[in-house]
Amino acid sequence: MLAVAVLAGCGAPPELSEPTAAPTRTAAPTASGPSTPPTTPPASAPPPGVATPTPDAGLVATACRNGPTGQRVVQLLRGRAGVLPANVRVQVRTGPLCAGEWQYTVLEVTGHEELQVVTRGQATAPTLVTAGTDVCTIEVRATGPAGIRALACDAGPAVRPSA
């Protein structure tokens, strides 16, 4: 009973009460004569040597401009990594897509399942992070940029971007 009495004294919140008469507006007097638009100062470039902020390149994976080529990724897998034998036919289906210093590539391997590849590092000497049908490894999840994690872990096996 006490709670009802306390709440009853508060009334309805202002946003729920019925509106009263609509506010009226009065027009501001206009000045006669020519009007000029306000002037804005011209944009200037930052002084030399000052860093300008840029968005994080790792948030979204995009086609690599300075990353490894698909052929370079295939060479890496056939070389020291020993993932692909020399006699297997391989075609790049997607990528490489870059996010930060990481790359994601999907390869069609004749007679086998699609092969996903995650690499990182320089374009001329990428390092293999993982390759297989499921590349959402602990390393990719823990240290990979968001753009690579989205492709390797979130997209699922049936939904892959195509280049």
Side-chain angles (χ1 to χ4, degrees), residues 29 31-32 37 41 63 66 75 84 91 94-95 99 102 123 127 133 149 151 153-154:
S32 59
N66 299 320
Q75 288 171 351
L84 288 173
Q91 184 174 358
T94 302
W102 291 59
T127 303
T133 56
R149 286 193 317 266
L151 293 170
C153 300
D154 301 341

Side-chain angles (χ1 to χ4, degrees), residues 4-79:
V4 172
V6 171
L7 292 176
C10 295
E15 60 272 3
L16 295 178
S17 64
E18 291 186 28
T20 58
T24 59
R25 297 182 189 204
T26 54
T30 58
S32 59
S35 64
T36 57
T39 58
T40 56
S44 61
V50 174
T52 56
T54 57
D56 183 4
L59 292 178
V60 176
T62 59
C64 297
R65 285 191 266 174
N66 299 320
T69 63
Q71 190 59 35
R72 180 66 190 108
V73 172
V74 171
Q75 288 171 351
L76 173 67
L77 295 176
R78 285 194 169 151

Side-chain angles (χ1 to χ4, degrees), residues 105-162:
T105 309
V106 178
L107 304 173
E108 290 179 2
V109 182
T110 302
H112 299 281
E113 290 184 74
E114 182 176 88
L115 184 65
Q116 300 172 50
V117 183
V118 177
T119 54
R120 69 188 297 185
Q122 300 175 0
T124 56
T127 303
L128 179 64
V129 175
T130 186
T133 56
D134 180 7
V135 293
C136 187
T137 63
I138 292 173
E139 182 179 6
V140 171
R141 283 183 288 167
T143 60
I148 297 298
R149 286 193 317 266
L151 293 170
C153 300
D154 301 341
V159 182
R160 293 283 179 225
S162 59

